[in-house]
Amino acid sequence: SFLNGVVCEGGGDGPEAVEMGLKAANEAAGATRVILIADAEPHMEGKGNLVDYHKKILETDYIEQSNLLASKKVPVFSFYIGGRGTNLPRSFQQISALTKGKANRLSNVNTLVDVVCE
């Protein structure tokens, strides 16, 4: 039901705006868990720093947003596909560890189902 409304668009560049996805989850009323899927690492610049590619200052970062989710006891289940960016596995493991979720390399859809429905 929810996934039927999800639309994928853009892509082809990295890093990903993981911080904005986590921020949206923090702002969502009643969120009890987050599923994060990406094929590239998050912005590593940190809050307040310039993202050269987009010429924008990061208003937040994935660590800050992960800590906010952790304070609400909302776990993040992170799945990474491929491996664009050397920080992809480490950063997703960090996000999930901070929030008491789990991080996994997504090799097939069964991995997603096994972890989320555990």
Side-chain angles (χ1 to χ4, degrees):
S1 57
F2 167 77
L3 288 178
N4 290 334
V6 174
V7 177
C8 296
E9 56 186 66
D13 66 336
E16 304 291 1
V18 170
E19 72 282 354
M20 298 311 291
L22 296 176
K23 182 180 179 190
N26 268 306
E27 293 172 350
T32 59
R33 66 190 50 86
V34 174
I35 298 173
L36 172 63
I37 304 171
D39 65 349
E41 65 192 12
H43 291 287
M44 304 304 286
E45 292 84 355
K47 180 180 179 177
N49 291 302
L50 178 68
V51 177
D52 284 331
Y53 181 80
H54 297 290
K55 305 291 187 240
K56 292 184 180 179
I57 302 289
L58 281 183
E59 63 181 67
T60 187
D61 59 40
Y62 75 93
I63 298 294
E64 178 178 59
Q65 293 301 318
S66 295
N67 285 327
L68 286 170
L69 287 166
S71 73
K72 297 174 185 178
K73 296 183 177 14
V74 176
V76 177
F77 297 91
S78 302
F79 298 90
Y80 49 94
I81 303 165
R84 287 189 300 150
T86 58
N87 293 307
L88 179 59
R90 182 190 61 78
S91 58
F92 274 42
Q93 290 163 2
Q94 185 179 26
I95 290 165
S96 291
L98 286 170
T99 61
K100 307 283 192 263
K102 292 185 180 180
N104 291 277
R105 182 175 183 279
L106 186 59
S107 55
N108 64 59
V109 74
N110 291 331
T111 304
L112 179 63
V113 172
D114 290 345
V115 172
V116 174
C117 298
E118 186 173 82

